[in-house]
Amino acid sequence: MAYAVGQDSRFSQNPGMEHWKGLKRILTYLRKTINHGLLFGGGSNKLCGYVDVDYAGDTENRRSTSGAVFILKGCPFHGTAVDKLVLHCTTTESEFIAACDETKESIWLRRLYSELGGISLAMPLRCDNQWVIVLIHNPIFHQRTKPMDVSFFFVRDAHQECKINITYIDTEVQLADIFTKALPNQRFEKLRNSLNVQEFSN
């Protein structure tokens, strides 16, 4: 929903027929899922985050869209879908910058959760780009990483200081994927169910 609304709202100043059709689809989805909601409980008391990027997915300007979702007690409590303003030359660069942004968010959420009496452990942050994981875990500064802004390497420091724990997750179970692009119905419903969005009776 966040992705669809974000894409359609970009044309709110001068909408065309296809944008009105998109808005109609969004409203139809809302009407059909009016009894759906989030079900908390049954999961872990530990915070967990997922971060993903649809690299150069915007066919108009080839910018990327990043998405993230944070889970507590088996249910999402915070999610984002952001169109990046800067073009990135590689998937790794795009994913690393997204990981950087969500590391900042993770540290803030971890601090807030700790102040509320939650468990203050390194927050797991799941990413489906293996090269990003290699960069974070390997202290050697590889030649291919030099075009990236050095400021983004604070992610590695946060990982080493046990503020976050970035690990690999297969794309098929990457929950943040639902925030980055339009998905086929079957995959969309699978991820929606994994986010514990359920239909409640009246």
Side-chain angles (χ1 to χ4, degrees), residues 3 7 52-54 65-68 81 176-183:
Y3 174 78
Q7 291 299 302
D52 193 27
V53 171
D54 179 30
T65 301
S66 70
D177 200 30
I178 201 170
F179 291 90
T180 63
K181 63 178 89 58
L183 298 171

Side-chain angles (χ1 to χ4, degrees), residues 74-157:
C75 190
F77 69 94
H78 179 62
T80 60
V82 179
D83 288 329
K84 295 299 181 185
L85 299 178
V86 179
L87 288 171
H88 302 121
C89 296
T90 65
T91 304
T92 300
E93 182 181 358
S94 185
E95 293 262 9
F96 204 100
I97 292 169
C100 170
D101 292 341
E102 298 314 320
T103 295
K104 297 173 190 175
E105 198 74 12
S106 298
I107 292 170
W108 183 82
L109 288 170
R110 177 176 174 264
R111 186 179 302 129
L112 175 63
Y113 188 52
S114 177
E115 289 174 2
L116 295 173
I119 304 169
S120 181
L121 299 173
M123 184 192 296
L125 191 59
R126 315 290 190 216
C127 174
D128 62 3
N129 185 302
Q130 296 192 45
W131 184 241
V132 169
I133 307 300
V134 169
L135 285 175
I136 292 166
H137 288 276
N138 190 342
I140 297 173
F141 193 73
H142 196 282
Q143 180 70 26
R144 287 178 60 185
T145 69
K146 286 186 179 180
M148 281 190 260
D149 192 317
V150 179
S151 65
F152 292 108
F153 279 81
F154 96 95
V155 174
R156 191 163 59 201
D157 292 339

